[in-house]
Amino acid sequence: MDRWSNKVAVVTGASSGIGAEIVKDLVRGGMIVVGLARRSEKIEELKKDLPNDRRKNLHSMQCDVTKEEEIVATFAKINEKFGGVDVLINNAGMAFMDLKLTDPGNSVAFNDTMQTNVFGLINCTREAIGIMKKRKIHGHVININSILGHNVVFPPPGWEAMNFNVYAASKFGVTALTEILRQEMSKDELPIKISSISPDVVQTNLTEMFSKQNLAKTPHLLSSDISQAVVYVLSTPPHVNVQDVLLRPLGCRY
């Protein structure tokens, strides 16, 4: 991580769960981190978990990634205040797994899911790479994907009530977008890495809310596991592009 010291990382969905762990690990690793979230005050609370001499390197900005105009304005502000963006972590995600594709009245929930997981990622990446291109830097974009972006499996035992609906489709989209972006960077001869990290079940507020009892019985990952994968991907030499990391918990049977 030494080459990223004092470089600027932007993390979307940074207020809790995986995003919060990524923010803390990148700050501990010496980066200047701008966390984006609709609840930006939650990002400020993360400073208490950081060493005193690193807290000044964590900054928060309110941004709803479902709104393109907010994304454009936020990245312009980041560029002006911090002199650019070196790393983008597209972590913001949404899921409504209590709904089926055939349930009536599901349009708003599914539109929000696709707007966050797909179009939010596209718009944030466009703005970040635009800044990287102008500065002619060796940048890195990491998409927090899902195992469901590669294979739609049956829910594990105890989770049969869970419905993957458009969430899995959105994550398949992230897998495709990662490869398309990689090809675009190669075609344009830009030194910008594009990576994806695809975890299995992760203990977050979402999974605990859905079934805390079943989560305890199911092999699962922790948010810190995904954050450490981000650190690994960023730590690779400049000539290495880790395109996808699949993370499964030990003992997973599906």
Side-chain angles (χ1 to χ4, degrees):
M1 288 288 290
D2 290 346
R3 72 189 185 92
W4 297 113
S5 180
N6 292 318
K7 301 295 186 181
V8 178
V10 176
V11 182
T12 69
S15 61
S16 63
I18 295 170
E21 291 300 320
I22 293 172
V23 162
K24 290 186 287 187
D25 278 344
L26 295 187
V27 172
R28 292 180 187 123
M31 298 195 75
I32 297 168
V33 178
V34 183
L36 307 185
R38 286 177 292 186
R39 301 174 300 166
S40 58
E41 71 279 1
K42 293 289 185 181
I43 300 171
E44 290 296 316
E45 294 175 8
L46 301 177
K47 290 183 177 180
K48 68 180 186 299
D49 298 325
L50 296 171
N52 289 336
D53 62 339
R54 294 293 172 91
R55 292 177 181 177
K56 66 181 184 300
N57 288 340
L58 174 56
H59 307 268
S60 63
M61 288 191 182
Q62 185 173 354
C63 182
D64 183 347
V65 300
T66 67
K67 298 177 179 178
E68 183 178 4
E69 65 277 10
E70 284 194 24
I71 292 173
V72 173
T74 299
F75 275 86
K77 190 184 303 182
I78 292 170
N79 190 39
E80 180 180 356
K81 184 174 181 179
F82 300 98
V85 177
D86 299 279
V87 172
L88 170 65
I89 312 294
N90 282 310
N91 169 73
M94 184 171 289
F96 295 90
M97 293 189 174
D98 55 342
L99 293 172
K100 296 179 182 177
L101 286 174
T102 53
D103 284 344
N106 58 19
S107 296
V108 172
F110 290 172
N111 285 339
D112 285 348
T113 299
M114 296 299 289
Q115 194 66 43
T116 302
N117 299 359
V118 177
F119 292 104
L121 180 148
I122 291 172
N123 293 332
C124 287
T125 302
R126 181 194 65 220
E127 296 304 306
I129 288 181
I131 293 170
M132 293 174 187
K133 286 170 66 176
K134 287 181 180 177
R135 294 175 62 222
K136 299 180 180 179
I137 65 162
H138 288 69
H140 204 146
V141 176
I142 300 178
N143 299 324
I144 303 303
N145 198 344
S146 168
I147 201 74
L148 291 173
H150 302 266
N151 183 29
V152 182
V153 298
F154 283 107
W159 298 78
E160 288 83 2
M162 178 178 284
N163 300 294
F164 295 143
N165 53 65
V166 297
Y167 179 78
S170 73
K171 292 302 184 178
F172 261 82
V174 172
T175 300
L177 289 168
T178 300
E179 171 59 11
I180 292 166
L181 285 164
R182 187 196 67 78
Q183 291 182 16
E184 286 188 3
M185 297 304 99
S186 179
K187 182 179 179 181
D188 293 342
E189 298 183 348
L190 295 171
I192 299 172
K193 297 183 183 183
I194 309 293
S195 303
S196 168
I197 296 176
S198 301
D200 207 308
V201 177
V202 183
Q203 181 178 350
T204 63
N205 292 340
L206 174 64
T207 51
E208 287 186 344
M209 180 169 43
F210 197 87
S211 181
K212 193 168 185 177
Q213 181 179 4
N214 288 330
L215 182 66
K217 300 175 182 177
T218 304
H220 60 272
L221 301 166
L222 303 177
S223 294
S224 57
D225 299 324
I226 289 70
S227 180
Q228 285 300 300
V230 169
V231 171
Y232 157 69
V233 171
L234 286 174
S235 299
T236 54
H239 70 284
V240 176
N241 189 107
V242 178
Q243 183 163 338
D244 205 346
V245 177
L246 302 179
L247 296 177
R248 288 187 184 273
L250 186 66
C252 179
R253 296 184 180 180
Y254 55 90

